[in-house]
Amino acid sequence: MTRTRLGALILSVGLIAVLLATLVPGGSDETSSTFACVFCGERALADLLVNVILFTPVGIGVALAGAGLRRAVLAGLVLSASVEVIQLVLPGRDASLGDVIANTVGAWIGAWVVLLAPWWLGPRRSAARGLALAPSFPATMYFAQWTPNLGHLEWYRGRIVEATVDGRDIHAGRVREGPDLRRALREGRPVVVEVIAGPGTKRLASIFSINDERQREIVLVGPDRQDLVFRYRTRASDFRLDQPDLRLRSVMGAVVPGDSLRIAVERRDGGYCMGLQSPERCRLGHTVADGWSLLFYAESFPEWLGWFLGICWLAALAFPLGLWARGRLEVAVVLALLAVALLIAPTMSILLATAWTGWVAAGAGVAIGLRARSALAASSGVSA
């Protein structure tokens, strides 16, 4: 494959990704009026990274097609500005000046990846754990909420009978045993909620939640359409990244208003166990493949789409390793390091073990990286 064809292919894929991610109407009928926003919101850093990453292939494709740095950046700027203008009239989409800036930076980075290819593909070479998904419970004042009416969530119309954490009653209002509650949550002690069921919900609602004095969500238990959701504050939230959750799929479908429900959540054997009545389901948690959810997590995603994004995420993480490896020895080292990382990460954090599909995806990412290295090296006149 020639350099120009490779650039056209990457640019085409990048444009399709941009159009799908930015011009599909959202779930709301309202349009945003925060165009002047540059870096704001609870997931500002996640939005910034997503917008940078989204336009990096555009910069790579334009630069590979023969354009210089300025033209690649200009292409990213024009495309991003056009998308944001269209988003001003699309229902459920948020247009902002910050997106234009981040998209343009992404195109600039992509162009530099190509322009510096002779350097990072040449002779000069240089030789984690899942802390972002670890619990983070700040030492602040906590407030418990029973079926709260929160603006950003649907109001659950059921009624709590009793809520306990590690056997201690937690009533609505200020929690005076703050240090003990934080310790219990950090250790994954049982959270049990007895509730009289209300009608089903069309989006995420809170049955029982705990927020702190700064209105930061600490823990949430509630339904999201057919699913039962448990969400706890992670260290990713401290860095203003997105907030994934744990779900029992399709368990709320058979619930009838007025039913007596017992919801129980507990960390056990490296993962979480969740139960609605019985039996409970264990080994719920996050793996290395769930890293994508820190950047863009949508509750409406079906389970298969989350799995697919996880596969793509692992392949993308492994892709640079294939680009770096030159000879057979380095390929062997890369594969060994990748295997060690996937094996060690769960033992050093709260992450669960990577499924076999994740291993295959990571290996495929290395293989694609090796192939891309050969193509780029050939087009740059550098020995691979």
Side-chain angles (χ1 to χ4, degrees):
M1 182 180 294
T2 65
R3 177 190 179 103
T4 302
R5 289 183 178 179
L6 178 62
L9 176 61
I10 294 177
L11 179 59
S12 299
V13 173
L15 287 175
I16 292 173
V18 168
L19 296 178
L20 288 176
T22 60
L23 297 185
V24 176
S28 171
D29 293 331
E30 299 180 356
T31 56
S32 174
S33 59
T34 58
F35 184 78
C37 176
V38 175
F39 188 77
C40 52
E42 289 296 324
R43 58 185 305 275
L45 181 57
D47 286 336
L48 174 67
L49 294 175
V50 166
N51 281 294
V52 169
I53 294 171
L54 187 62
F55 270 65
T56 299
V58 174
I60 292 176
V62 173
L64 280 176
L69 177 64
R70 291 183 180 179
R71 290 185 179 180
V73 173
L74 180 61
L77 174 61
V78 172
L79 176 61
S80 177
S82 301
V83 166
E84 297 304 312
V85 170
I86 296 174
Q87 283 186 340
L88 288 173
V89 297
L90 277 181
R93 304 304 305 196
D94 297 329
S96 80
L97 180 61
D99 291 351
V100 176
I101 296 174
N103 294 157
T104 306
V105 170
W108 177 80
I109 292 174
W112 270 112
V113 168
V114 176
L115 295 175
L116 294 177
W119 179 82
W120 55 263
L121 286 170
R124 183 181 300 181
R125 293 165 285 169
S126 58
R129 56 188 277 192
L131 292 178
L133 291 169
S136 176
F137 303 128
T140 52
M141 189 180 300
Y142 286 1
F143 295 85
Q145 300 171 317
W146 288 20
T147 60
N149 184 8
L150 306 174
H152 63 291
L153 300 175
E154 185 172 332
W155 186 11
Y156 188 68
R157 302 299 180 131
R159 177 174 59 87
I160 288 183
V161 177
E162 182 183 43
T164 63
V165 176
D166 196 23
R168 296 187 179 90
D169 290 332
I170 305 295
H171 299 284
R174 178 183 172 184
V175 180
R176 299 188 179 277
E177 302 83 6
D180 292 336
L181 176 62
R182 281 194 298 276
R183 187 181 309 109
L185 293 175
R186 188 169 54 249
E187 295 174 355
R189 300 294 184 178
V191 176
V192 180
V193 183
E194 305 276 355
V195 59
I196 303 300
T201 64
K202 296 181 179 179
R203 57 192 180 100
L204 181 62
S206 171
I207 293 178
F208 172 75
S209 58
I210 298 174
N211 284 28
D212 74 351
E213 59 189 8
R214 295 170 57 183
Q215 298 185 348
R216 294 178 296 187
E217 181 185 291
I218 305 300
V219 165
L220 179 144
V221 177
D224 184 1
R225 288 154 289 190
Q226 304 295 309
D227 300 342
L228 178 63
V229 173
F230 173 64
R231 189 163 69 184
Y232 59 90
R233 182 176 178 82
T234 64
R235 294 184 180 178
S237 302
D238 298 334
F239 296 100
R240 302 175 75 176
L241 292 169
D242 217 335
Q243 178 66 65
D245 56 40
L246 304 178
R247 292 174 175 252
L248 280 180
R249 298 281 181 177
S250 304
V251 297
M252 299 297 293
V255 173
V256 176
D259 284 352
S260 296
L261 306 178
R262 182 181 188 274
I263 302 170
V265 185
E266 179 183 4
R267 192 162 76 234
R268 193 189 310 157
D269 299 329
Y272 277 91
C273 295
M274 292 178 61
L276 177 66
Q277 311 298 68
S278 61
E280 63 182 10
R281 180 183 171 189
C282 293
R283 297 294 293 172
L284 296 173
H286 303 292
T287 68
V288 177
D290 294 320
W292 65 270
S293 62
L294 299 177
L295 301 179
F296 182 67
Y297 183 75
E299 291 89 352
S300 59
F301 279 0
E303 189 173 8
W304 69 264
L305 182 54
W307 172 85
F308 177 74
L309 289 174
I311 295 301
C312 294
W313 174 261
L314 282 178
L317 289 180
F319 176 78
L321 297 177
L323 285 178
W324 172 80
R326 296 188 70 199
R328 293 181 180 178
L329 176 60
E330 290 181 357
V331 172
V333 170
V334 162
L335 294 177
L337 290 176
L338 187 61
V340 170
L342 293 178
L343 287 171
I344 295 298
T347 65
M348 298 179 62
S349 65
I350 64 167
L351 293 177
L352 300 179
T354 304
W356 69 268
T357 51
W359 286 81
V360 173
V366 172
I368 296 171
L370 289 169
R371 179 61 179 170
R373 177 190 177 85
S374 298
L376 286 172
S379 65
S380 303
V382 178
S383 174

